[in-house]
Amino acid sequence: MSIVAFKKLSIFGSSLNKNSMVDQLQALGCIHLISVKPKDNSVLTCPSTSLLDQFNTAVRYLKDCPEQGRQRLQWRQFNPDEILMSILANQKDMKELIDQRDRLLARVHELAEWGNFHLPDESQLSGIKLWFYKLTYKEAALIPKDKIVQEVYRDNRYIFLVLLAREEPQGEAFCSLRSHTGAVPLKVLRNQLEDLNEQIDDLIDERRNLTRYRFLLSREIAAFADRSQFKQALNQINDNKNFFFLQGWVPQSKISDIELFCREQVLGVAIEEPSADEIPPTLLQNPPLLEGGQKLVNFYQTPGYRALDPSIMVFFSFSVFFAMILADAGYGIVLAVITLLSWKSLGKRQSLTWLRPLLVTLSAFSIIYGMLLGSYWGLEPKAGSVLAQFKVINIQNFKSMMTLVIVIGCLHICIASGMRAWFSSGFCERVKSIGIIVFIISALIWAYGLMNHNNYIVTAGICLLIFSLLMMLFFASNTPVNSFKGLLLRGFHGLTALTEIPSLFGDILSYLRLFALGLAGASLALTFNTMASHIAETSWLLAGLVLLLGQCLNFVLCLMGAVIHGLRLNYIEFFKWSVKEDGYNYQPFKKQEISHE
């Protein structure tokens, strides 16, 4: 696990070849540009930005099509603007027709209860109108006797009535229950629905035919993005009449490529180490099998360039926490099956391949920890069986489980402080981080001595505790003690550092969620098993249904808790005591790459 080292690059060249050189640097694709002149936001707010959004919307619409047509990789007469307009028009028409169909379906469903009928002309009724009501038997009894009512039909729940009156009755108890049948007959509505369905089918066929252009459109988007980046790059380069000058950050592994390029293009180049007040971008580099930890880290926070890379630690600690919250070998097996079934689909997209080793690790850790607990879908193996021999942890033993998770929390934060001490550049900060580690260890020793009534261990713990407090007190600041004012400032900073101790205790106690959530999941699984066993006395089918639905629900809840709280303990507690500064991602100036399926 490491953060890639960067060099600061400065390139000088003739202004006559500036555009050509910048284009070739974009093709080289390894420089994170530094603006060497005031920013001009006009490039970012140009009208073409909306056009790019339209292209992206169109491509997403095509990729979401359930049935894909064969892609065209080349087409001389390809007109992206016409294709774009066709796609957006198809999307707009599809939405409008589907909305119309939904409204018409609701209308047909409401009118189908009344059957197919034609309303007579108003001139034939001498001003009398027909008012339709769908009433329960109790509601129908509320209609006054003086009203002219015709019953259409009735079923076991409702009576369908037509009331004849010149004006709609107002103020009666049944007035709010009127059915709005409208003047269009049911047969006409069904014909309209058929027409709409045919139009939607035509649009679906058109959409499928348009999917053949998705690669060509993606190529247009990439070219458009390249042009936009090119313009932004020109806006970051200092240029005068004769020379241009650009700066950027380059990974150390790419320095040889840059030097070769500059020699071939006869460009002046200066390569130097970043100064203490400069902050290069952050590029995490980890083995492919552990890339999941890197993705999880970048999802929440990008570490600073001179900070540590917690990717591998996050990868394994998240796996451990996930397993402790899932707390069942059976659920781990289910997760392994899901991983196996989705293995091929995850491999099809380069952006999702990192999930493969992460899911395998989560499944393995969950199965192993579940076997140590002796829990298989909430059931314990029979005593004396092979599986029973693996059970070494009793989740119902609250004292031992709470001790276990507290020790895990202490260990996790000690590792975080140790990593900060290792990667810190200041002596005082290193000593302070070591003081936090000593404080946690001394607190554990002191607690162990109290529980075992051993005064020697208690005394040793207290001595270490005092020593750690002194370390945090005197090394909380780099302020030199060469005057009384410096001494006061040093003492003030030390007292401020000691105020972190309550927060430290709170963070350690936060790891109790590992036990609480694991116990909750195990208890819920046991509850569903017990319910199913009781129901099985009367109905095996119902018992199986309750067991299946209950276990699925519990699995989903445990899965959500394991992901959310497993990440939370890393993002909040671990990062708080390890990552001291934020960074920004390495964004090389390069051309977009696209590929077809």
Side-chain angles (χ1 to χ4, degrees), residues 375-391:
S375 178
Y376 302 84
W377 295 284
L379 299 174
E380 289 190 15
K382 292 183 179 180
S385 63
V386 176
L387 293 178
Q389 297 177 6
F390 292 103
K391 181 180 179 181

Side-chain angles (χ1 to χ4, degrees), residues 71-323:
Q71 291 193 82
R72 296 197 65 162
L73 305 182
Q74 298 290 337
W75 189 22
R76 294 179 181 178
Q77 289 80 28
F78 177 66
N79 188 326
D81 294 331
E82 290 184 3
I83 298 299
L84 175 64
M85 292 300 104
S86 299
I87 296 171
L88 296 180
N90 181 280
Q91 184 183 31
K92 178 176 177 293
D93 294 342
M94 181 77 76
K95 183 179 183 303
E96 291 178 353
L97 290 180
I98 289 177
D99 290 341
Q100 291 180 29
R101 184 180 64 180
D102 292 341
R103 291 193 295 268
L104 197 55
L105 280 171
R107 194 86 183 85
V108 168
H109 177 74
E110 182 180 1
L111 195 57
E113 297 177 320
W114 294 92
N116 189 29
F117 62 89
H118 293 268
L119 292 176
D121 294 334
E122 293 185 7
S123 59
Q124 298 177 358
L125 297 176
S126 302
I128 297 176
K129 297 180 180 179
L130 306 180
W131 310 97
F132 295 79
Y133 292 91
K134 176 185 175 182
L135 307 174
T136 63
Y137 286 83
K138 185 177 180 180
E139 293 164 346
L142 300 176
I143 300 178
K145 300 297 183 181
D146 59 339
K147 300 295 184 182
I148 303 175
V149 178
Q150 174 64 47
E151 179 180 328
V152 178
Y153 79 98
R154 67 175 63 194
D155 56 22
N156 58 344
R157 293 186 61 191
Y158 297 102
I159 301 177
F160 295 82
L161 303 174
V162 178
L163 188 146
L164 283 71
R166 295 183 182 276
E167 300 293 338
E168 180 180 0
Q170 301 291 336
E172 302 288 351
F174 62 88
C175 291
S176 61
L177 304 174
R178 185 167 74 87
S179 298
H180 299 272
T181 58
V184 182
L186 178 62
K187 184 177 180 180
V188 176
L189 291 177
R190 284 175 172 165
N191 290 335
Q192 293 177 0
L193 184 60
E194 285 296 325
D195 293 339
L196 278 177
N197 284 328
E198 289 182 4
Q199 294 178 48
I200 291 174
D201 289 340
D202 292 340
L203 288 176
I204 291 175
D205 293 337
E206 182 187 15
R207 182 185 182 186
R208 180 193 175 281
N209 292 331
L210 288 170
T211 58
R212 70 181 69 177
Y213 305 117
R214 60 188 185 276
F215 172 76
L216 297 176
L217 286 175
S218 298
R219 190 175 63 185
E220 288 295 319
I221 292 175
F224 189 93
D226 290 343
R227 291 193 297 270
S228 299
Q229 277 201 357
F230 183 82
K231 292 179 181 178
Q232 293 181 36
L234 292 179
N235 198 50
Q236 294 177 299
I237 296 173
N238 199 343
D239 186 18
N240 57 30
K241 294 181 180 179
N242 299 317
F243 297 96
F244 74 88
F245 167 64
L246 68 84
Q247 284 187 325
W249 299 107
V250 180
Q252 191 167 350
S253 59
K254 298 291 184 179
I255 291 297
S256 58
D257 296 337
I258 291 293
E259 291 176 336
L260 177 61
F261 172 80
C262 291
R263 282 197 301 269
E264 291 176 349
Q265 303 299 327
V266 194
L267 297 173
V269 60
I271 300 172
E272 53 189 330
E273 295 287 343
S275 61
D277 58 342
E278 291 179 324
I279 304 177
T282 301
L283 175 61
L284 304 180
Q285 189 176 57
N286 291 278
L289 292 178
L290 302 177
E291 189 183 357
Q294 178 178 318
K295 295 290 185 180
L296 294 177
V297 169
N298 281 327
F299 174 77
Y300 180 75
Q301 179 182 2
T302 301
Y305 176 73
R306 295 179 178 86
L308 57 97
D309 177 9
S311 301
I312 294 181
M313 185 63 199
V314 169
F315 183 92
F316 287 105
S317 61
F318 171 64
S319 300
V320 171
F321 299 156
F322 182 94

Side-chain angles (χ1 to χ4, degrees), residues 109 258 267 287 323 368 393-395 409 414 572 585:
H109 177 74
I258 291 293
L267 297 173
I368 293 172
I393 302 175
N394 183 7
I395 198 172
C414 281
I572 306 300
N585 283 320

Side-chain angles (χ1 to χ4, degrees), residues 356-373:
R356 283 177 162 185
L358 180 61
L359 288 173
V360 170
T361 306
L362 294 177
S363 303
F365 278 43
S366 299
I367 293 173
I368 293 172
Y369 184 73
M371 293 176 66
L372 296 178
L373 290 178

Side-chain angles (χ1 to χ4, degrees), residues 431-432 434-436 438-439 442 460-475 498:
V431 175
K432 179 188 172 184
I434 295 173
I436 293 173
V438 176
F439 179 84
S442 61
I462 293 175
C463 292
L464 277 176
L465 202 64
I466 295 173
F467 178 68
S468 64
L469 291 175
L470 292 175
M471 292 176 68
M472 289 187 283
L473 180 65
F474 290 109
F475 293 95
L498 294 181

